[in-house]
Amino acid sequence: MKIQLLSLLFFFGAQGFAQNLLELNNLNDFKPQIGNWKVVGEVLVNPAIDVHDMQNHEQETKSKKRRRRRKEVEERPKAVAYKSGTGILLNMNDSEKKDRLETRWKHGDIKLDMEVMIPKGSNSGIYLQGRYELQLKDSWGVIHPKVSDMGGIHNNWETDPDKIFRGIPPLHNACKAPGLWQKLNIHFQAPKFNDKGEKMANARFVSVVLNGVVIHTNVEVPQYTGSPIEKNEVSEGPLVIQGDHGPVAFRNIKYQLLEPSDVSMSAISYKTYKGEFKGLEELQDADVVTEGQTQFIDVNLTGEEDNYGISFSGTLNIPEEGLYHLSLGYTGGVAFYMDSVSVLQKNAADRQEMLDTTLTLSQGEHDFVLNNIKSAGWRAPRLGLTVGTASTYPSTFHTYDSYPPAINTVSPIFVQPNTEPRCLRAFVSFGGDGKRLSHTIGVGTPEGVNYIYDLGSGNLVGLWRGDFVDATPMWHERGDGSFKPRGAVQWTFLNQPIAQLSDAKTLFPETGHAPEFISKGYVIDETTRLPVFKQVYRGVDIENRIEPNSTNTHVVREVRFSDTGLQNWYFKLASGIIQQRPDGSYAINGEYYIKLLTDQVPVMREVDGETELVIAVDGSLVKYELIW
């Protein structure tokens, strides 16, 4: 047996290899530095304190200590504190210790994923190959981001016209509030050189995604950016992190090095069939219509749009033993065999999807057979095969027309507020692919602060900044009743957040499971033009107002009750991993903050394996900020 099937996954879209993970138990993956970089277990950022204010205070403190060594110097809160442990990479630079951090390994083309935490006012940068800087900066609230803002590709300071690079700003400001963990995904292609060392292609950021928002796509960088490790361009270089501009923390750093693939196919032959095939087994007794040799897999060799079958056979040449990832896209039904072993199969005639699997393949030649049938006039002919490894780009073995890239053939229907807020009722899947909520409403503001409110539970379930929604799924043809937020949604939690509980361990009701809770819809406030949501629960009228704050960076929520003296009533503010911050706010899963503005005292409780942030309510106003 030449192949070993490790896993077989059936779903739409390609499945990639696991990336290399920097364990961050120590600094062994990096070159020595002067001491400003360390591995820690937890980082606590006070989002109210600017790191530059702290640095100025530290300089003043040192000066005062020199002048008045015997006098106690005022102790001020710290912008950044940390606890010992592992898993987090932290830079704590000062005027004496401010080294960059440089990997011992080098890279060319690379996919890089990480989470980064930036304190208020801080600044750093990721240098691909030590030469092309992607800016890391506290740019929360910036309306029009520049090359020097979060996610910008930084300029350089060259004066030679042939070397000037003015930088590329991000398409959107997707930066979160200081002190929150932010997700960054980078796909970088190194510059390419010929045998003489002449540059044939510029460095390129294929894509950069910040907090789920695409901020760069397929942009070239013709020169090194500011402050490279060397003023030249090379095929491989180290990953470098700036260490002299302010504190910054990283975790979950994963990378995948990519090279061209040497996998090839040879001796490909084909046979075509005509018929309304219902199963792949029917090809065995079908008459061959045409046959011949081909260089690539091409479903169009059938000459038919529908009611056809086609079979390819040949040799897959594997340069070295290892793990290989196969992706097979098709319409109709499909079967792929290697060395007489079934590897991928879906016995149908009307499907449309991508099948993926990961195999261990030995070095050498492997016989393959690929069969495809289609009897579904509403689907276009499609058949494509790619093979790659964890360290290579996938090799493509089909013609462009046989499996063209997915193209949106429908003009999108965007909904955007103009001078007033916009409300749109819709179905929403929590988390993007979770529980489907049937009584939700999206609210968009001209300032670009948007949210999703669940009328069925009286709960604020998601928020995002930027453009409002894509209503194409709702309004194109028959539609499915849903919209897509045009930004990275910060999801909160499910279930009814206000309830009368019998004891401290009672769960909050699931949406729709409290018969005493009645949604009364909403009215539009004449001043703000925003909705005011109304409910009745156990005879008490409840009113919800959710508005952008004065600087349009986050939202303020007010909840009012018609009665006072309520007994055993509680309000769940958040659910997840909860940490109290020095400024009195609470960080939820490291993704957003809750800051109470009224005088209730939050408590954390453990219920059903989940930590909840809860306040007791007696009918007084509840007002809090949700910051992300």
Side-chain angles (χ1 to χ4, degrees), residues 36 53 59 62 103 129 165 192 239 250 297 315 343 367 369 378 451 514 551 553 590:
N36 47 300
D53 293 341
Q59 292 299 321
K62 290 178 181 178
T103 58
Q129 295 190 308
F165 175 63
K192 300 299 184 288
L239 188 68
F250 300 87
I297 292 168
T315 302
V343 173
D367 295 331
V369 174
W378 62 93
Y451 63 86
T551 57
T553 55

Side-chain angles (χ1 to χ4, degrees), residues 64-117:
K64 288 179 181 179
K65 284 183 177 180
R66 286 194 294 268
R67 293 196 306 265
R68 299 183 300 170
R69 293 182 183 277
R70 295 182 181 180
K71 291 188 177 181
E72 183 178 347
V73 180
E74 179 185 0
E75 186 70 25
R76 292 179 60 176
K78 294 182 178 180
V80 182
Y82 60 89
K83 296 180 180 180
S84 61
T86 60
I88 297 176
L89 181 65
L90 174 64
N91 174 49
M92 290 291 288
N93 65 289
D94 55 30
S95 58
E96 298 173 354
K97 297 179 180 179
K98 49 183 179 180
D99 265 3
R100 66 178 183 241
L101 192 65
E102 184 176 329
T103 58
R104 295 182 183 275
W105 46 267
K106 294 183 179 182
H107 72 86
D109 294 5
I110 188 173
K111 287 185 177 180
L112 180 66
D113 297 339
M114 64 181 66
E115 292 180 75
V116 57
M117 178 188 287

Side-chain angles (χ1 to χ4, degrees), residues 414-472:
F414 294 147
V415 178
Q416 189 68 18
N418 293 318
T419 58
E420 291 189 356
R422 187 76 181 266
C423 299
L424 187 63
R425 289 286 300 269
F427 298 134
V428 170
S429 295
F430 183 82
D433 57 1
K435 181 178 180 179
R436 192 167 175 85
L437 305 176
S438 58
H439 293 78
T440 49
I441 180 169
V443 180
T445 69
E447 297 78 17
V449 179
N450 316 300
Y451 63 86
I452 299 170
Y453 187 84
D454 182 13
L455 295 163
S457 62
N459 193 18
L460 177 60
V461 295
L463 310 97
W464 72 100
R465 285 184 290 269
D467 294 329
F468 186 34
V469 299
D470 178 358
T472 310

Side-chain angles (χ1 to χ4, degrees), residues 33 82 131 182 200 222 326 328 355 391 403 443 454 479 545 547 549 570 585 621:
Q33 42 80 40
Y82 60 89
R131 290 161 173 83
Q182 309 194 52
M200 306 301 293
L326 283 69
L328 182 60
L355 302 183
S391 60
Y403 198 77
V443 180
D454 182 13
R545 295 174 181 265
E547 301 178 3
N549 71 319
Y570 297 92
S585 64
L621 171 70

Side-chain angles (χ1 to χ4, degrees), residues 269-542:
S269 61
Y270 70 92
K271 295 179 181 179
T272 69
Y273 308 86
K274 179 63 179 173
E276 193 174 346
F277 303 111
K278 301 300 183 184
L280 291 161
E281 65 280 356
E282 295 180 26
L283 290 182
Q284 296 177 5
D285 300 321
D287 295 329
V288 175
V289 176
T290 62
E291 58 184 312
Q293 301 293 312
T294 181
Q295 209 170 359
F296 299 99
I297 292 168
D298 186 358
V299 73
N300 298 301
L301 291 169
T302 65
E304 303 287 345
E305 288 289 316
D306 195 32
N307 295 330
Y308 62 76
I310 190 166
S311 177
F312 295 91
S313 60
T315 302
L316 185 66
N317 305 298
I318 300 300
E320 58 183 352
E321 182 174 349
L323 282 173
Y324 289 82
H325 186 70
L326 283 69
S327 293
L328 182 60
Y330 72 98
T331 52
V334 72
F336 186 75
Y337 301 87
M338 288 187 65
D339 300 323
S340 302
V341 176
S342 176
V343 173
L344 292 166
Q345 182 165 312
K346 181 63 70 174
N347 195 5
D350 59 357
R351 299 293 294 264
Q352 178 173 326
E353 60 186 338
M354 178 83 74
L355 302 183
D356 291 77
T357 189
T358 300
L359 308 170
T360 294
L361 297 177
S362 60
Q363 181 182 12
E365 298 180 347
H366 297 264
D367 295 331
F368 77 88
V369 174
L370 172 59
N371 296 330
N372 176 221
I373 60 173
K374 185 177 86 74
S375 296
W378 62 93
R379 302 211 187 274
R382 294 286 187 272
L383 186 62
L385 176 67
T386 62
V387 181
T389 72
S391 60
T392 65
Y393 290 106
S395 293
T396 299
F397 296 112
H398 56 267
T399 64
Y400 181 91
D401 288 342
S402 185
Y403 198 77
I407 298 175
N408 187 4
T409 58
V410 177
S411 297
I413 305 171
F414 294 147
V415 178
Q416 189 68 18
N418 293 318
T419 58
E420 291 189 356
R422 187 76 181 266
C423 299
L424 187 63
R425 289 286 300 269
F427 298 134
V428 170
S429 295
F430 183 82
D433 57 1
K435 181 178 180 179
R436 192 167 175 85
L437 305 176
S438 58
H439 293 78
T440 49
I441 180 169
V443 180
T445 69
E447 297 78 17
V449 179
N450 316 300
Y451 63 86
I452 299 170
Y453 187 84
D454 182 13
L455 295 163
S457 62
N459 193 18
L460 177 60
V461 295
L463 310 97
W464 72 100
R465 285 184 290 269
D467 294 329
F468 186 34
V469 299
D470 178 358
T472 310
M474 178 186 297
W475 289 337
H476 177 65
E477 295 183 344
R478 295 180 63 182
D480 65 2
S482 66
F483 60 61
K484 296 179 181 179
R486 294 181 64 197
V489 179
Q490 176 56 63
W491 301 98
T492 59
F493 62 91
L494 291 170
N495 301 347
Q496 183 178 312
I498 298 175
Q500 188 176 33
L501 305 179
S502 57
D503 57 55
K505 292 297 182 182
T506 302
L507 297 174
F508 282 83
E510 292 186 21
T511 301
H513 284 236
E516 307 94 332
F517 179 90
I518 303 170
S519 173
K520 293 293 185 177
Y522 63 91
V523 298
I524 299 298
D525 184 277
E526 292 184 0
T527 302
T528 65
R529 308 305 299 168
L530 286 164
V532 179
F533 301 103
K534 296 179 177 292
Q535 303 98 32
V536 175
Y537 177 62
R538 297 196 169 179
V540 178
D541 294 327
I542 304 172

Side-chain angles (χ1 to χ4, degrees), residues 546-588:
I546 302 164
E547 301 178 3
N549 71 319
S550 59
T551 57
N552 297 309
T553 55
H554 56 280
V555 300
V556 179
R557 182 178 185 181
E558 289 187 5
V559 184
R560 298 178 182 272
F561 304 87
S562 63
D563 290 355
T564 58
L566 303 177
Q567 298 292 318
N568 299 322
W569 279 51
Y570 297 92
F571 187 171
K572 181 163 70 171
L573 298 172
S575 178
I577 300 172
I578 303 171
Q579 294 176 311
Q580 186 170 10
R581 297 301 190 186
D583 68 340
S585 64
Y586 293 83
I588 314 301

